Amino acid sequence: DGGITQSPKYLFRKEGQNVTLSCEQNLNHDAMYWYRQDPGQGLRLIYYSQIVNDFQKGDIAEGYSVSREKKESFPLTVTSAQKNPTAFYLCASRPRGGNTIYFGEGSWLTVV
Amino acid sequence: AQKVTQAQTEISVVEKEDVTLDCVYETRDTTYYLFWYKQPPSGELVFLIRRNSFDEQNEISGRYSWNFQKSTSSFNFTITASQVVDSAVYFCALSFPNDYKLSFGAGTTVTVRA
């Protein structure tokens, strides 16, 4: 099946630890995005990448890092510098020439 | 600055009633795209509809319809004959050519009671 796969679905980490969220797509989409959602709020853009080996900061990039070494993969690392990391994280992708972004199922991160 | 406002926080209806969700946006650009996404309790964001700024024709797709009015910067969405499965959070979003980053409204929670 074609789609966007995020893993793990649920993740618990201790404060001060870095954690990496996986995002893989087999849709052959060029662009990929990471959004964060806090309870009762809309989504905010963390990072995005329009092409392999290139990525740009979004509105709330502080405390996060990404890489785009392969077209199909766009992992997000939540570092210990992120002050409030507990949230729902959504990965998304967009085809070349397309103007619609499609989302994965999301990952819940809880930092205790 | 670009901004999307969904003034309705929650809407509760009985099954088979129509539901209209309001969305107002702000932009000075002439080319942009407007979207509605649905987020069911499972969390995944599901794309519903997209409208281009240069196409104000309103359409109906099944039980969904939308009313795009550039004069009032509004992009309202209607679910006709609502069903319990329509219960979800609905987001309006705005994007622009080149990077197509989405700017979201705060969302409207729709509850459809049987």
Side-chain angles (χ1 to χ4, degrees):
Chain A
D1 285 346
I4 303 168
T5 302
Q6 292 187 237
S7 62
K9 178 70 173 179
Y10 300 95
L11 187 59
F12 294 86
R13 277 295 181 267
K14 291 184 177 181
E15 193 172 339
Q17 291 181 336
N18 292 354
V19 59
T20 297
L21 305 180
S22 170
C23 179
E24 303 277 332
Q25 54 96 1
N26 59 5
L27 302 169
N28 199 33
H29 287 180
D30 280 7
M32 297 186 74
Y33 306 78
W34 273 106
Y35 284 86
R36 168 182 171 143
Q37 185 178 23
D38 293 283
Q41 298 187 29
L43 284 75
R44 294 180 290 170
L45 181 65
I46 306 172
Y47 269 98
Y48 66 103
S49 167
Q50 299 210 79
I51 195 170
V52 174
N53 292 322
D54 185 53
F55 49 83
Q56 306 295 327
K57 292 182 178 180
D59 301 320
I60 56 167
E62 185 176 353
Y64 299 97
S65 66
V66 293
S67 63
R68 188 82 188 279
E69 297 177 0
K70 298 185 297 182
K71 185 176 184 178
E72 59 270 23
S73 179
F74 192 40
L76 173 73
T77 297
V78 184
T79 74
S80 56
Q82 169 50 233
K83 295 181 180 179
N84 297 296
T86 296
F88 187 52
Y89 292 87
L90 283 153
C91 179
S93 68
R94 178 179 59 81
R96 178 185 299 182
N99 51 31
T100 300
I101 291 177
Y102 301 91
F103 286 82
E105 295 185 345
S107 292
W108 290 94
L109 173 63
T110 302
V111 176
V112 295
Chain B
Q2 290 86 7
K3 185 179 177 181
V4 178
T5 302
Q6 295 179 251
Q8 305 151 305
T9 304
E10 295 183 26
I11 299 176
S12 181
V13 298
V14 177
E15 210 169 15
K16 298 184 182 178
E17 288 184 352
D18 296 348
V19 179
T20 295
L21 307 180
D22 298 334
C23 175
V24 175
Y25 61 94
E26 295 178 29
T27 181
R28 294 185 177 182
D29 289 52
T30 57
T31 302
Y32 51 89
Y33 305 92
L34 292 162
F35 301 82
W36 279 98
Y37 284 87
K38 173 183 178 181
Q39 187 175 42
S42 60
E44 181 181 4
L45 221 62
V46 179
F47 164 71
L48 295 177
I49 56 174
R50 179 193 69 245
R51 212 68 200 153
N52 307 329
S53 57
F54 44 86
D55 183 2
E56 286 191 76
Q57 181 178 352
N58 295 309
E59 293 184 16
I60 297 174
S61 176
R63 295 188 298 110
Y64 297 155
S65 62
W66 49 96
N67 186 350
F68 175 32
Q69 293 193 348
K70 290 176 74 171
S71 61
T72 56
S73 297
S74 65
F75 184 51
N76 298 336
F77 175 66
T78 297
I79 305 171
T80 303
S82 61
Q83 301 174 1
V84 172
V85 292
D86 296 326
S87 296
V89 182
Y90 290 81
F91 291 97
C92 181
L94 171 68
S95 75
F96 303 90
N98 187 32
D99 53 36
Y100 299 97
K101 299 179 297 181
L102 289 164
S103 296
F104 285 88
T108 299
T109 300
V110 174
T111 302
V112 181
R113 308 184 309 275

